[in-house]
Amino acid sequence: MGLAAGLLVVVAADWIGHSWVHPKVMSEASVSHAIMLMGAALACMWPTSLYAGGLTGLQRQVLLNVVNIVMYTVRFAGALLVLWLISPTIQAFFLWQAIAGLAHAAALAVCLWRNLGPAAGATAAFQWERLRSVWQFAAALWIVTVLYTVVNAADRVILSKMVSLEEFGYYSVAGLAAGAFARLFTAMFTALCPRFAQLAALNQTDELKLLYHRGSQVLAVILFSLVAVTAFFPKKY
């Protein structure tokens, strides 16, 4: 799936660079090349969600966070060094993102495999019966994820056609800043959801209720306070 998504972006790069975005400083050829590298970076980073989900399911969030902290530092701090010392171009940036994304996926894959603890001499094999037992739930979750992705990206897709590339960049930065609040919820969800599933499977309803209410209260206190301050005093930021 990652290779297919990346290949789709690469194939459509010329059309996107020529007919969709509106660069003012960069040439269409440079934009198309950058989009191709974006597709390569997408393919390289795609597996990280699978391996991160496995570590989360094993409730190894601390290990996952350590790996993510190191690799995100390598990805973004390394990108600054590449732009500063090697080549201050968008192509260099996305090439580094592809390399760092591949390294990130490899690191998570090694951590997940070691924590699964396969028996000595065991050979990894795909088991179709596991998929068949949960395919309805997985399909419904996949549909929800696709719809969420489409709705979440609709504004950027539409604006990238309507405004210049520079204006779209400003909008993307503002959206990234606003999305910081959602990261708080994501972090809380990632930490608690595996424990919820475990308690539900063990039928420990009382402990599940207690953990749910405590998590909701902590999230409400942190998130609502930050959102309220930002909403009522936006000029301070």
mmCIF file of all heavy atoms in Angstrom, residues 20-60:
data_model
loop_
_atom_site.group_PDB
_atom_site.id
_atom_site.type_symbol
_atom_site.label_atom_id
_atom_site.label_comp_id
_atom_site.label_asym_id
_atom_site.label_seq_id
_atom_site.Cartn_x
_atom_site.Cartn_y
_atom_site.Cartn_z
ATOM 1 N N TRP A 20 -1.972 22.013 -11.072
ATOM 2 C CA TRP A 20 -2.665 22.169 -9.787
ATOM 3 C C TRP A 20 -2.081 23.301 -8.956
ATOM 4 O O TRP A 20 -2.776 24.271 -8.647
ATOM 5 C CB TRP A 20 -2.628 20.850 -9.019
ATOM 6 C CG TRP A 20 -3.615 20.825 -7.886
ATOM 7 C CD1 TRP A 20 -3.378 21.138 -6.578
ATOM 8 C CD2 TRP A 20 -5.005 20.514 -7.974
ATOM 9 N NE1 TRP A 20 -4.522 21.029 -5.841
ATOM 10 C CE2 TRP A 20 -5.547 20.647 -6.668
ATOM 11 C CE3 TRP A 20 -5.837 20.131 -9.012
ATOM 12 C CZ2 TRP A 20 -6.893 20.407 -6.399
ATOM 13 C CZ3 TRP A 20 -7.172 19.894 -8.738
ATOM 14 C CH2 TRP A 20 -7.678 20.028 -7.441
ATOM 15 N N VAL A 21 -0.831 23.188 -8.564
ATOM 16 C CA VAL A 21 -0.238 24.218 -7.708
ATOM 17 C C VAL A 21 0.177 25.418 -8.561
ATOM 18 O O VAL A 21 0.296 25.327 -9.784
ATOM 19 C CB VAL A 21 0.980 23.666 -6.934
ATOM 20 C CG1 VAL A 21 0.552 22.535 -6.031
ATOM 21 C CG2 VAL A 21 2.066 23.184 -7.895
ATOM 22 N N HIS A 22 0.425 26.545 -7.877
ATOM 23 C CA HIS A 22 0.737 27.789 -8.585
ATOM 24 C C HIS A 22 2.024 28.389 -8.010
ATOM 25 O O HIS A 22 1.983 29.319 -7.202
ATOM 26 C CB HIS A 22 -0.412 28.788 -8.442
ATOM 27 C CG HIS A 22 -1.731 28.236 -8.883
ATOM 28 N ND1 HIS A 22 -2.074 28.103 -10.205
ATOM 29 C CD2 HIS A 22 -2.790 27.764 -8.169
ATOM 30 C CE1 HIS A 22 -3.286 27.589 -10.297
ATOM 31 N NE2 HIS A 22 -3.741 27.375 -9.083
ATOM 32 N N PRO A 23 3.181 27.870 -8.428
ATOM 33 C CA PRO A 23 4.440 28.424 -7.913
ATOM 34 C C PRO A 23 4.741 29.780 -8.515
ATOM 35 O O PRO A 23 4.455 30.041 -9.689
ATOM 36 C CB PRO A 23 5.478 27.378 -8.352
ATOM 37 C CG PRO A 23 4.886 26.766 -9.584
ATOM 38 C CD PRO A 23 3.389 26.755 -9.360
ATOM 39 N N LYS A 24 5.335 30.661 -7.701
ATOM 40 C CA LYS A 24 5.723 31.981 -8.192
ATOM 41 C C LYS A 24 7.239 32.096 -8.362
ATOM 42 O O LYS A 24 7.709 32.811 -9.242
ATOM 43 C CB LYS A 24 5.239 33.068 -7.215
ATOM 44 C CG LYS A 24 3.732 33.266 -7.206
ATOM 45 C CD LYS A 24 3.347 34.431 -6.312
ATOM 46 C CE LYS A 24 1.844 34.706 -6.365
ATOM 47 N NZ LYS A 24 1.451 35.841 -5.483
ATOM 48 N N VAL A 25 7.977 31.423 -7.499
ATOM 49 C CA VAL A 25 9.437 31.512 -7.531
ATOM 50 C C VAL A 25 10.044 30.275 -8.180
ATOM 51 O O VAL A 25 10.929 30.381 -9.031
ATOM 52 C CB VAL A 25 9.996 31.701 -6.109
ATOM 53 C CG1 VAL A 25 11.523 31.758 -6.136
ATOM 54 C CG2 VAL A 25 9.426 32.958 -5.481
ATOM 55 N N MET A 26 9.570 29.095 -7.808
ATOM 56 C CA MET A 26 10.113 27.850 -8.336
ATOM 57 C C MET A 26 9.555 27.582 -9.734
ATOM 58 O O MET A 26 8.429 27.962 -10.060
ATOM 59 C CB MET A 26 9.764 26.685 -7.408
ATOM 60 C CG MET A 26 10.360 26.788 -6.015
ATOM 61 S SD MET A 26 9.795 25.435 -4.956
ATOM 62 C CE MET A 26 10.417 24.009 -5.865
ATOM 63 N N SER A 27 10.357 26.874 -10.529
ATOM 64 C CA SER A 27 9.893 26.459 -11.848
ATOM 65 C C SER A 27 8.987 25.241 -11.716
ATOM 66 O O SER A 27 9.012 24.534 -10.697
ATOM 67 C CB SER A 27 11.090 26.114 -12.733
ATOM 68 O OG SER A 27 11.788 24.988 -12.230
ATOM 69 N N GLU A 28 8.174 24.998 -12.759
ATOM 70 C CA GLU A 28 7.287 23.834 -12.724
ATOM 71 C C GLU A 28 8.080 22.541 -12.655
ATOM 72 O O GLU A 28 7.658 21.578 -11.996
ATOM 73 C CB GLU A 28 6.388 23.839 -13.953
ATOM 74 C CG GLU A 28 5.349 24.956 -13.954
ATOM 75 C CD GLU A 28 4.437 24.878 -15.167
ATOM 76 O OE1 GLU A 28 4.641 23.968 -16.006
ATOM 77 O OE2 GLU A 28 3.510 25.709 -15.275
ATOM 78 N N ALA A 29 9.237 22.494 -13.311
ATOM 79 C CA ALA A 29 10.076 21.293 -13.268
ATOM 80 C C ALA A 29 10.576 21.023 -11.855
ATOM 81 O O ALA A 29 10.596 19.868 -11.389
ATOM 82 C CB ALA A 29 11.255 21.441 -14.229
ATOM 83 N N SER A 30 10.971 22.082 -11.139
ATOM 84 C CA SER A 30 11.446 21.914 -9.758
ATOM 85 C C SER A 30 10.314 21.450 -8.851
ATOM 86 O O SER A 30 10.512 20.592 -7.983
ATOM 87 C CB SER A 30 12.024 23.237 -9.244
ATOM 88 O OG SER A 30 13.151 23.621 -9.997
ATOM 89 N N VAL A 31 9.123 21.997 -9.046
ATOM 90 C CA VAL A 31 7.974 21.586 -8.249
ATOM 91 C C VAL A 31 7.644 20.111 -8.515
ATOM 92 O O VAL A 31 7.390 19.342 -7.585
ATOM 93 C CB VAL A 31 6.762 22.479 -8.557
ATOM 94 C CG1 VAL A 31 5.510 21.948 -7.870
ATOM 95 C CG2 VAL A 31 7.027 23.904 -8.105
ATOM 96 N N SER A 32 7.645 19.705 -9.785
ATOM 97 C CA SER A 32 7.347 18.314 -10.130
ATOM 98 C C SER A 32 8.377 17.374 -9.520
ATOM 99 O O SER A 32 8.029 16.304 -8.998
ATOM 100 C CB SER A 32 7.314 18.146 -11.649
ATOM 101 O OG SER A 32 6.300 18.937 -12.224
ATOM 102 N N HIS A 33 9.648 17.768 -9.575
ATOM 103 C CA HIS A 33 10.701 16.942 -8.978
ATOM 104 C C HIS A 33 10.509 16.817 -7.472
ATOM 105 O O HIS A 33 10.664 15.731 -6.892
ATOM 106 C CB HIS A 33 12.068 17.551 -9.284
ATOM 107 C CG HIS A 33 13.218 16.660 -8.939
ATOM 108 N ND1 HIS A 33 14.508 17.128 -8.777
ATOM 109 C CD2 HIS A 33 13.273 15.317 -8.706
ATOM 110 C CE1 HIS A 33 15.301 16.124 -8.462
ATOM 111 N NE2 HIS A 33 14.583 15.023 -8.411
ATOM 112 N N ALA A 34 10.151 17.935 -6.834
ATOM 113 C CA ALA A 34 9.914 17.903 -5.386
ATOM 114 C C ALA A 34 8.739 16.997 -5.041
ATOM 115 O O ALA A 34 8.780 16.251 -4.052
ATOM 116 C CB ALA A 34 9.669 19.315 -4.868
ATOM 117 N N ILE A 35 7.693 17.019 -5.852
ATOM 118 C CA ILE A 35 6.527 16.169 -5.596
ATOM 119 C C ILE A 35 6.888 14.694 -5.768
ATOM 120 O O ILE A 35 6.417 13.830 -5.018
ATOM 121 C CB ILE A 35 5.370 16.577 -6.526
ATOM 122 C CG1 ILE A 35 4.885 17.983 -6.172
ATOM 123 C CG2 ILE A 35 4.208 15.592 -6.428
ATOM 124 C CD1 ILE A 35 3.869 18.546 -7.129
ATOM 125 N N MET A 36 7.743 14.382 -6.742
ATOM 126 C CA MET A 36 8.207 13.001 -6.894
ATOM 127 C C MET A 36 8.938 12.530 -5.637
ATOM 128 O O MET A 36 8.731 11.412 -5.163
ATOM 129 C CB MET A 36 9.137 12.903 -8.102
ATOM 130 C CG MET A 36 8.453 13.033 -9.435
ATOM 131 S SD MET A 36 9.637 12.851 -10.807
ATOM 132 C CE MET A 36 8.553 13.143 -12.206
ATOM 133 N N LEU A 37 9.786 13.396 -5.104
ATOM 134 C CA LEU A 37 10.502 13.041 -3.877
ATOM 135 C C LEU A 37 9.544 12.918 -2.698
ATOM 136 O O LEU A 37 9.759 12.111 -1.789
ATOM 137 C CB LEU A 37 11.574 14.087 -3.590
ATOM 138 C CG LEU A 37 12.761 14.093 -4.571
ATOM 139 C CD1 LEU A 37 13.672 15.279 -4.296
ATOM 140 C CD2 LEU A 37 13.543 12.786 -4.460
ATOM 141 N N MET A 38 8.475 13.717 -2.696
ATOM 142 C CA MET A 38 7.452 13.574 -1.665
ATOM 143 C C MET A 38 6.813 12.191 -1.737
ATOM 144 O O MET A 38 6.548 11.555 -0.708
ATOM 145 C CB MET A 38 6.384 14.658 -1.840
ATOM 146 C CG MET A 38 6.835 16.048 -1.473
ATOM 147 S SD MET A 38 5.625 17.325 -1.911
ATOM 148 C CE MET A 38 4.231 16.811 -0.927
ATOM 149 N N GLY A 39 6.552 11.715 -2.959
ATOM 150 C CA GLY A 39 6.001 10.371 -3.115
ATOM 151 C C GLY A 39 6.947 9.314 -2.596
ATOM 152 O O GLY A 39 6.526 8.347 -1.934
ATOM 153 N N ALA A 40 8.241 9.472 -2.868
ATOM 154 C CA ALA A 40 9.233 8.522 -2.353
ATOM 155 C C ALA A 40 9.276 8.548 -0.827
ATOM 156 O O ALA A 40 9.352 7.499 -0.172
ATOM 157 C CB ALA A 40 10.610 8.844 -2.929
ATOM 158 N N ALA A 41 9.218 9.759 -0.254
ATOM 159 C CA ALA A 41 9.211 9.882 1.205
ATOM 160 C C ALA A 41 7.965 9.238 1.800
ATOM 161 O O ALA A 41 8.023 8.580 2.851
ATOM 162 C CB ALA A 41 9.297 11.356 1.608
ATOM 163 N N LEU A 42 6.822 9.405 1.131
ATOM 164 C CA LEU A 42 5.576 8.796 1.598
ATOM 165 C C LEU A 42 5.695 7.277 1.643
ATOM 166 O O LEU A 42 5.297 6.637 2.629
ATOM 167 C CB LEU A 42 4.431 9.208 0.682
ATOM 168 C CG LEU A 42 3.073 8.541 0.936
ATOM 169 C CD1 LEU A 42 2.544 8.925 2.310
ATOM 170 C CD2 LEU A 42 2.069 8.933 -0.145
ATOM 171 N N ALA A 43 6.245 6.686 0.591
ATOM 172 C CA ALA A 43 6.405 5.236 0.554
ATOM 173 C C ALA A 43 7.344 4.745 1.646
ATOM 174 O O ALA A 43 7.106 3.695 2.256
ATOM 175 C CB ALA A 43 6.919 4.807 -0.823
ATOM 176 N N CYS A 44 8.410 5.500 1.908
ATOM 177 C CA CYS A 44 9.387 5.084 2.923
ATOM 178 C C CYS A 44 8.821 5.189 4.338
ATOM 179 O O CYS A 44 9.144 4.371 5.207
ATOM 180 C CB CYS A 44 10.649 5.940 2.805
ATOM 181 S SG CYS A 44 11.631 5.633 1.316
ATOM 182 N N MET A 45 7.985 6.204 4.567
ATOM 183 C CA MET A 45 7.457 6.422 5.920
ATOM 184 C C MET A 45 6.188 5.636 6.201
ATOM 185 O O MET A 45 5.774 5.511 7.354
ATOM 186 C CB MET A 45 7.194 7.914 6.135
ATOM 187 C CG MET A 45 8.457 8.755 6.189
ATOM 188 S SD MET A 45 8.141 10.494 6.596
ATOM 189 C CE MET A 45 7.331 11.044 5.088
ATOM 190 N N TRP A 46 5.540 5.109 5.166
ATOM 191 C CA TRP A 46 4.258 4.436 5.330
ATOM 192 C C TRP A 46 4.289 3.311 6.369
ATOM 193 O O TRP A 46 3.376 3.205 7.200
ATOM 194 C CB TRP A 46 3.804 3.900 3.970
ATOM 195 C CG TRP A 46 2.406 3.363 3.953
ATOM 196 C CD1 TRP A 46 2.001 2.131 4.378
ATOM 197 C CD2 TRP A 46 1.229 4.033 3.498
ATOM 198 N NE1 TRP A 46 0.645 1.992 4.210
ATOM 199 C CE2 TRP A 46 0.148 3.141 3.672
ATOM 200 C CE3 TRP A 46 0.993 5.290 2.949
ATOM 201 C CZ2 TRP A 46 -1.149 3.478 3.312
ATOM 202 C CZ3 TRP A 46 -0.301 5.617 2.593
ATOM 203 C CH2 TRP A 46 -1.354 4.717 2.783
ATOM 204 N N PRO A 47 5.315 2.429 6.392
ATOM 205 C CA PRO A 47 5.285 1.299 7.338
ATOM 206 C C PRO A 47 5.375 1.700 8.803
ATOM 207 O O PRO A 47 5.119 0.853 9.674
ATOM 208 C CB PRO A 47 6.515 0.461 6.925
ATOM 209 C CG PRO A 47 6.835 0.890 5.543
ATOM 210 C CD PRO A 47 6.468 2.336 5.482
ATOM 211 N N THR A 48 5.774 2.932 9.096
ATOM 212 C CA THR A 48 5.947 3.303 10.501
ATOM 213 C C THR A 48 4.651 3.161 11.297
ATOM 214 O O THR A 48 4.689 2.802 12.476
ATOM 215 C CB THR A 48 6.463 4.752 10.617
ATOM 216 O OG1 THR A 48 5.545 5.635 9.958
ATOM 217 C CG2 THR A 48 7.833 4.897 9.979
ATOM 218 N N SER A 49 3.512 3.441 10.668
ATOM 219 C CA SER A 49 2.242 3.342 11.391
ATOM 220 C C SER A 49 1.945 1.896 11.784
ATOM 221 O O SER A 49 1.394 1.636 12.866
ATOM 222 C CB SER A 49 1.102 3.903 10.548
ATOM 223 O OG SER A 49 0.974 3.196 9.326
ATOM 224 N N LEU A 50 2.294 0.941 10.931
ATOM 225 C CA LEU A 50 2.079 -0.470 11.244
ATOM 226 C C LEU A 50 2.919 -0.890 12.450
ATOM 227 O O LEU A 50 2.406 -1.477 13.415
ATOM 228 C CB LEU A 50 2.426 -1.332 10.035
ATOM 229 C CG LEU A 50 2.421 -2.850 10.277
ATOM 230 C CD1 LEU A 50 1.028 -3.344 10.610
ATOM 231 C CD2 LEU A 50 2.981 -3.583 9.072
ATOM 232 N N TYR A 51 4.204 -0.581 12.408
ATOM 233 C CA TYR A 51 5.093 -0.995 13.493
ATOM 234 C C TYR A 51 4.802 -0.225 14.780
ATOM 235 O O TYR A 51 4.872 -0.792 15.876
ATOM 236 C CB TYR A 51 6.552 -0.801 13.073
ATOM 237 C CG TYR A 51 6.913 -1.572 11.832
ATOM 238 C CD1 TYR A 51 7.546 -0.969 10.758
ATOM 239 C CD2 TYR A 51 6.613 -2.935 11.727
ATOM 240 C CE1 TYR A 51 7.874 -1.681 9.611
ATOM 241 C CE2 TYR A 51 6.931 -3.650 10.587
ATOM 242 C CZ TYR A 51 7.562 -3.017 9.537
ATOM 243 O OH TYR A 51 7.885 -3.730 8.413
ATOM 244 N N ALA A 52 4.473 1.058 14.652
ATOM 245 C CA ALA A 52 4.114 1.837 15.837
ATOM 246 C C ALA A 52 2.837 1.290 16.467
ATOM 247 O O ALA A 52 2.710 1.219 17.699
ATOM 248 C CB ALA A 52 3.938 3.304 15.464
ATOM 249 N N GLY A 53 1.875 0.879 15.626
ATOM 250 C CA GLY A 53 0.645 0.286 16.154
ATOM 251 C C GLY A 53 0.916 -1.012 16.894
ATOM 252 O O GLY A 53 0.285 -1.302 17.920
ATOM 253 N N GLY A 54 1.867 -1.809 16.381
ATOM 254 C CA GLY A 54 2.215 -3.052 17.075
ATOM 255 C C GLY A 54 2.812 -2.792 18.439
ATOM 256 O O GLY A 54 2.456 -3.449 19.427
ATOM 257 N N LEU A 55 3.731 -1.831 18.532
ATOM 258 C CA LEU A 55 4.336 -1.508 19.822
ATOM 259 C C LEU A 55 3.311 -0.915 20.777
ATOM 260 O O LEU A 55 3.342 -1.175 21.981
ATOM 261 C CB LEU A 55 5.492 -0.528 19.619
ATOM 262 C CG LEU A 55 6.747 -1.107 18.957
ATOM 263 C CD1 LEU A 55 7.742 -0.008 18.625
ATOM 264 C CD2 LEU A 55 7.398 -2.145 19.869
ATOM 265 N N THR A 56 2.379 -0.127 20.245
ATOM 266 C CA THR A 56 1.319 0.433 21.080
ATOM 267 C C THR A 56 0.429 -0.677 21.620
ATOM 268 O O THR A 56 0.047 -0.673 22.796
ATOM 269 C CB THR A 56 0.475 1.429 20.275
ATOM 270 O OG1 THR A 56 1.315 2.484 19.795
ATOM 271 C CG2 THR A 56 -0.631 2.020 21.137
ATOM 272 N N GLY A 57 0.084 -1.643 20.768
ATOM 273 C CA GLY A 57 -0.742 -2.766 21.215
ATOM 274 C C GLY A 57 -0.077 -3.587 22.294
ATOM 275 O O GLY A 57 -0.744 -4.157 23.166
ATOM 276 N N LEU A 58 1.256 -3.642 22.266
ATOM 277 C CA LEU A 58 2.003 -4.357 23.302
ATOM 278 C C LEU A 58 2.211 -3.506 24.553
ATOM 279 O O LEU A 58 2.854 -3.948 25.503
ATOM 280 C CB LEU A 58 3.370 -4.787 22.759
ATOM 281 C CG LEU A 58 3.346 -5.835 21.641
ATOM 282 C CD1 LEU A 58 4.743 -6.042 21.072
ATOM 283 C CD2 LEU A 58 2.797 -7.160 22.158
ATOM 284 N N GLN A 59 1.677 -2.281 24.514
ATOM 285 C CA GLN A 59 1.817 -1.316 25.609
ATOM 286 C C GLN A 59 3.284 -0.989 25.887
ATOM 287 O O GLN A 59 3.698 -0.797 27.025
ATOM 288 C CB GLN A 59 1.118 -1.821 26.884
ATOM 289 C CG GLN A 59 -0.376 -2.037 26.695
ATOM 290 C CD GLN A 59 -1.108 -2.368 27.976
ATOM 291 O OE1 GLN A 59 -0.884 -1.697 28.988
ATOM 292 N NE2 GLN A 59 -1.970 -3.368 27.929
ATOM 293 N N ARG A 60 4.048 -0.884 24.802
ATOM 294 C CA ARG A 60 5.452 -0.463 24.908
ATOM 295 C C ARG A 60 5.580 0.980 24.437
ATOM 296 O O ARG A 60 6.389 1.306 23.577
ATOM 297 C CB ARG A 60 6.338 -1.397 24.077
ATOM 298 C CG ARG A 60 6.372 -2.835 24.540
ATOM 299 C CD ARG A 60 6.809 -2.966 26.004
ATOM 300 N NE ARG A 60 8.048 -2.285 26.265
ATOM 301 C CZ ARG A 60 9.253 -2.836 26.099
ATOM 302 N NH1 ARG A 60 9.344 -4.091 25.686
ATOM 303 N NH2 ARG A 60 10.352 -2.160 26.359
#
